[in-house]
Amino acid sequence: MKLSRRTVRLRLTEPLRISRSTMAARDAVWLAIEHQGQRGYGEAVASTYYHLDAETIGRLLDETALELARFSGPETALDALREGALPGPATPPAVTAAVESALLDLVGKRADVPVHRLLGTQEAPRAATARTIGIGSRRAAGEEAGRLARHGFSVIKVKAGSPDPEDDLERVLAVREAAPYARLLLDPNGAWTPAQAAALLPRYADLGVEAVEQPIAPGRPEALARLAEGSPIPVIADEDAVGFEDARRLVGRVHGINVKLAKCGGVHAALRIADLLAGSGTELMLGCLTASSLGLAPAVHLADRARWADLDGHLLLAHDPWTGIGGTDGTVRAGRQPGLGVRPVPGADLPNAAADPAGLAAEVPR
């Protein structure tokens, strides 16, 4: 097997402001795993919040390339990844998720089946995805909400956490007026104190907000659980629910858990959390980081398992270098083609071990 990688810059159509930061672009590292003439692809994106830059991602992928020498093919490597034996024990979840993506894509192509069928789902999943509106003016939010509603979006997520909480309320009101039939989600990204959240959530309930993600600062899951117990709208844990053990502490105590493949470790880890939540009263939300369609595709193959899908990261980009999961009409759809079902747009510069004189590709003979 050969593993190659390439770093690209993903630019947003416009800067996205949330309570803790504003983002205009993000580095992504694409990887390709090649075996017997076929390739599978994955993507890991850099994240300041998760202390992961493109250089570190690349170094870890080079180490993973050497580890692949232990396996006879992508099928055995994928089994090892699910058992925790690949990549190395200190590998961040986002890198593990990207390696798993490439292996799933390759295994699906070799078996001539789409990834969702490898995961036990016969019909290609599809889901109404939330579309995010960042912190900004009331007018801009209303105009964007109206445009999204006209294009078919039935779920809109509004970022909150302005210095003045009244600004957030005014923005949500503008969204509600412009898209009266949309389901509204709210995401302060941990900007409120428990007292602020307790005072504000009834007001958002009056505006018809369906659920709120991580209303208080992460690090106090007990406080989040207490808030959820008395909240008039469902409370979804996000930053307080990174992996399986976090989910285990909160299952049955919050209304939802936002599972992002890049923070939990990929599809296999997400399925473990989904099994944990089943029948508990805590429901699954599938979220994402800002990424291309390649980065979003593995989660879309799980979309039928979630109550809430927030898989719009590719829709925030000025130019998505990959295609195949839809979303511009408010619905994401898993591809029916073998593997992940995504393909690069013309001109996309893919990683290629055979044409990598700079040493960005690591070859593993087998």
Side-chain angles (χ1 to χ4, degrees):
M1 285 188 284
K2 300 175 183 176
L3 187 153
S4 53
R5 60 176 173 87
R6 189 168 302 282
T7 300
V8 298
R9 188 77 162 163
L10 302 176
R11 300 190 182 279
L12 279 65
T13 302
E14 59 183 34
L16 176 66
R17 180 186 167 198
I18 66 175
S19 61
R20 60 174 178 255
S21 63
T22 299
M23 180 178 61
R26 170 167 267 160
D27 288 331
V29 181
W30 295 340
L31 70 143
I33 297 177
E34 182 176 346
H35 185 64
Q36 297 180 342
Q38 289 183 299
R39 289 181 185 170
Y41 294 96
E43 177 181 271
V45 294
S47 170
T48 301
Y49 184 78
Y50 291 112
H51 308 291
L52 190 63
D53 58 31
E55 181 178 355
T56 301
I57 293 171
R59 175 179 56 78
L60 292 166
L61 289 175
D62 291 346
E63 294 173 2
T64 299
L66 298 176
E67 292 182 57
L68 286 172
R70 296 186 285 124
F71 305 100
S72 59
E75 293 81 8
T76 56
L78 185 60
D79 288 342
L81 186 146
R82 288 172 172 163
E83 294 169 0
L86 177 79
T91 304
V95 177
T96 301
V99 173
E100 182 194 45
S101 171
L103 289 171
L104 282 169
D105 192 30
L106 182 53
V107 169
K109 289 172 179 174
R110 282 163 57 85
D112 198 30
V113 297
V115 164
H116 61 263
R117 290 186 60 186
L118 293 178
L119 304 176
T121 301
Q122 292 302 308
E123 293 298 319
R126 53 182 290 160
T129 180
R131 178 66 159 77
T132 299
I133 295 179
I135 295 175
S137 71
R138 171 193 170 112
R139 177 178 177 179
E143 290 175 351
E144 177 70 356
R147 184 188 70 80
L148 292 173
R150 290 190 296 273
H151 281 80
F153 284 85
S154 60
V155 188
I156 297 175
K157 183 166 90 168
V158 185
K159 291 291 188 177
S162 299
D164 183 353
E166 296 299 323
D167 289 343
D168 293 332
L169 285 156
E170 288 297 315
R171 188 167 55 260
V172 173
L173 177 60
V175 170
R176 169 53 74 212
E177 291 173 345
Y181 303 109
R183 298 163 56 198
L184 298 187
L185 305 177
L186 186 71
D187 186 6
N189 289 108
W192 299 336
T193 66
Q196 284 177 314
L200 289 168
L201 289 179
R203 300 178 68 183
Y204 283 107
D206 291 341
L207 294 175
V209 170
E210 180 176 314
V212 58
E213 291 181 57
Q214 197 68 43
I216 64 173
R220 294 192 292 167
E222 293 295 325
L224 186 68
R226 287 193 297 271
L227 178 68
E229 186 177 4
S231 175
I233 59 177
V235 172
I236 302 169
D238 184 358
E239 287 88 345
D240 262 329
V242 175
F244 182 85
E245 288 305 315
D246 296 326
R248 187 178 59 79
R249 283 189 286 270
L250 286 169
V251 64
R253 306 179 67 200
V254 294
H255 304 94
I257 287 178
N258 187 344
V259 173
K260 298 174 183 173
L261 304 191
K263 72 175 182 178
C264 74
V267 168
H268 74 290
L271 289 174
R272 284 189 68 210
I273 296 174
D275 288 344
L276 173 71
L277 301 187
S280 69
T282 298
E283 300 195 67
L284 177 67
M285 179 179 194
L286 275 175
C288 66
L289 302 180
T290 303
S292 75
S293 287
L294 172 61
L296 270 289
V300 176
H301 282 272
L302 301 176
D304 58 327
R305 292 168 163 86
R307 173 177 173 179
W308 301 283
D310 181 22
L311 300 175
D312 68 338
H314 62 306
L315 302 176
L316 304 179
L317 301 180
H319 172 67
D320 185 354
W322 294 78
T323 186
I325 60 173
T328 57
D329 61 352
T331 299
V332 289
R333 302 167 180 83
R336 292 182 170 86
Q337 298 79 19
L340 290 173
V342 295
R343 59 192 181 279
V345 301
D349 191 9
L350 300 185
N352 185 344
D356 200 347
L360 295 180
E363 182 174 344
V364 181
R366 170 57 78 179

